Amino acid sequence: MPPRPTRAEALCEEDNDPRSLPGASASLRPGGKGAGGGICHSAAPNGPSASYSAGTAMPPSRWTAAWLLLLQGCSVGRSQPAASPRTDVRDCSVDPPYLPPTATNTSARLTALRDAMRAHNIHAYIVPSTDAHMSEYIAERDARLGWLTGFTGSAGTGVVTEDRAALWTDSRYWTQAERQLDCNWELQRTTWIESIGTWIVELVPAGGNVSLDPFLFSIDTWHSYQQALQGSGIALLPMETNLVDQVWGNQRPPSPSSYIYSLPEEFTGLFNLRGDDIPYNPVFYSYTLLTATNISLFVDSARLTAEAQQSLRSGCPGPLCVELLDYGQVSAHLRHYAQGNATIWLGTEYTTYGLYSIIPQEKLLEDSYSPVMLAKAVKNAKEQELLRAAHVRDAVAVIQYLLWLEKMVPQGQVDEFSGARHVDALRWAQQHSRGPSFESISASGLNAALAHYSPANGSSRQLSVDEMYLMDTGGQYLDGTTDITRTVHWGTPTPLQKEAYTRVLMGNIDLSRLVFPSDTAGRTVETFARRALWEVGLNYGHGTGHGIGNFLSVHEWPVGFQSNNVPLTAGMFTSIEPGYYRDGEFGIRIEDVVLVVEAQTKHPTGEKPFLTFEVVSLVPYDRNLIDVSLLSQEHIQYLNAYYETIRARVGPELQRQQLEEEYRWLQRSTEPFPQSSAASATAAMLGMLAVTSLTSVLLAELQA
């Protein structure tokens, strides 16, 4: 499941994606803020190449400029076909405005919020998409942005002034926003807080007040808003009364009330507790204060099962004894604790400004991430084996689904929604299953161009042998969390579809087989996943990967390939998921979960070992979409070795579950590819030229 874009990716796409307006051409829009920058997502395969001449190291800071120049040529020099009208997105330029049935009328909600703002002398109010624990996925009760705007994407920020309203979100959700927003809302195609600040300063007079709920914004985000408004004469005011909650009133969903339970002894964790407070995420709302002598857990203790309470008391008396305190007492308890002789260590990325403001500055020890979060990111040997085992059973469910699709789609009996429900049911049937790890992405044809599209009952597309189909799904198991994406075509793909798919696969392989030094930042090597696409002027607008939990969240920070992720360390799990999206036509993504492991190098040294990735996702790729002539011998060798691993690990499990037809399907789908052809030799030579120049760029960054 694709993560949000990095800051660099947001820069490349800000305000200029062809998907920004209904029927817009594939070129970059001339004029307007930031005109000329961005990715030409719909560039043809013979478009400008992004590879560099051998031996030339282009500084990373110039990559955007180079793309800017190349893509301006793309925009100006190529004629575009006439735009065709679209009925799936809003059109606010006509009178009356056109709204698709997926849009939400927000007029009454905005009127009520503005009345509340005036009552508190607030000129602009900021609404995030997260909750009090900085969760990416949230409970319905915390979906304040979704209720106010109608936009249900997992990342976004809304700002409401006295007479204007705008939503900021990243490129994964631009088309979705155009489908869900009414014309009360402006769509800002960026997530930069600088952009939000500029917009506010243009509309709010000096001496005005901007407010937000301090328990919904991290420390770092609060400081970023302060900086964005600095010198404007506008005050940034924390307000613990949440105005959206106030106007939402009794229609707001109730607090979670399900049990909090302990895991069986064979599974590991911090408190070894799980809950169901957030859909698809086995977590519960709580805070923890960990000191040298005491552990305080702030939680609704009435929801703890008897077994859970007993497990928490098992360390009593002693340093592992857990003191249970009410969830609502955390602020008062922290304020009292901070009055003593204490230094409080916290992470600024995921601690709210509301808690931070309680602690005296002289008693703070700040890091980007808390030590608990960093420790959780590195899985121990037992956790690694548990996650591997979960992926074997998960592969069985996905293989069952792919075989079912091959049979049913030609009969016209599957739509996106029924397909998503079927793969969910197949996962539920597996041992230790606790359901999907996120809302399944089941996208056919043009819907696959939306990175986070999820189908709705009654309005989803029929799956067809003539269209690409993208399935991004995952499972929650007691022994691990999974996330995998496969893209398939049951008919005859176009040359562009086949080339784009193969190049996405090449990027997946290039990064998965990479060997790199210990403590390398993911952002340093992320471009290997894009190299094959860049060669022909293609790209994708989301992050390349994200960390993944052990029966926890499918997106687990701070692991991944983005600019604010921590360096890669042995024991970390992350996804690798390059893609390509052609708006209004099709989308491609290939995602595998990998484990960072020590590499077996020819010349080991006494220093820190080099690292590489072990792929733990175990489902073959669609042979119908692979253009073998584009693959190098190294790619083919990798694929054949990967397929041998799939046969060795998944084959016996299919037989154990007496799934003989699925076993035969697996054998057919993992037949080895031929390893000698002139085309492969040519591909290898061209690939080496591009990799040589790309490697020189990355080495220069490592040495900087």
Side-chain angles (χ1 to χ4, degrees), residues 220-235:
D220 285 352
T221 302
W222 171 272
H223 290 324
S224 295
Y225 277 111
Q226 279 188 320
Q227 185 175 359
L229 298 175
Q230 189 174 12
S232 66
I234 298 172

Side-chain angles (χ1 to χ4, degrees), residues 8-19 26-29 33-43 48 63-75 171 174 189 534 537-541:
E9 289 156 359
L11 173 64
C12 291
E13 296 193 316
E14 180 180 341
D15 253 2
N16 299 291
D17 191 277
R19 297 167 286 186
S27 64
L28 304 178
R29 288 189 289 120
K33 185 177 70 172
I39 298 299
C40 189
H41 285 269
S42 299
W63 290 351
T64 303
W67 272 101
L68 212 158
L69 291 171
L70 287 170
L71 293 174
Q72 281 180 329
C74 166
S75 174
S171 62
W174 290 340
R189 292 170 176 80
W534 284 3
L538 305 181
N539 204 357
Y540 55 93

Side-chain angles (χ1 to χ4, degrees), residues 622-695:
D622 186 7
R623 301 177 81 95
N624 188 39
L625 281 166
I626 299 175
D627 183 351
V628 180
S629 69
L630 294 176
L631 301 179
S632 68
Q633 286 296 315
E634 287 77 12
H635 290 135
I636 293 174
Q637 290 169 4
Y638 173 92
L639 277 175
N640 289 343
Y642 175 54
Y643 282 1
E644 287 179 6
T645 300
I646 293 177
R647 285 185 170 188
R649 300 208 63 195
V650 182
E653 182 64 20
L654 289 169
Q655 292 181 312
R656 189 189 70 81
Q657 297 188 29
Q658 298 181 342
L659 298 170
E660 293 302 326
E661 188 176 8
E662 286 80 0
Y663 178 81
R664 291 191 296 273
W665 181 93
L666 178 65
Q667 299 304 305
R668 293 194 305 272
S669 300
T670 54
E671 283 291 329
F673 290 92
Q675 295 196 42
S676 60
S677 71
S680 292
T682 302
M685 181 177 66
L686 293 174
M688 283 302 297
L689 288 174
V691 170
T692 298
S693 56
L694 181 58
T695 302

Side-chain angles (χ1 to χ4, degrees), residues 377-432:
V378 180
K379 309 300 188 280
N380 61 37
K382 182 176 181 180
E383 290 171 320
Q384 293 173 28
E385 285 306 309
L386 289 170
L387 277 161
R388 288 188 181 101
H391 278 84
V392 171
R393 299 191 309 279
D394 193 72
V396 171
V398 176
I399 288 169
Q400 287 180 288
Y401 183 55
L402 289 171
L403 175 59
W404 180 80
L405 289 173
E406 284 187 7
K407 294 178 179 179
M408 304 302 290
V409 171
Q411 301 177 31
Q413 298 185 17
V414 185
D415 63 23
E416 295 166 328
F417 184 81
S418 65
R421 298 292 79 79
H422 189 70
V423 71
D424 290 349
L426 291 170
R427 278 199 170 89
W428 268 112
Q430 289 297 313
Q431 184 184 26
H432 301 320

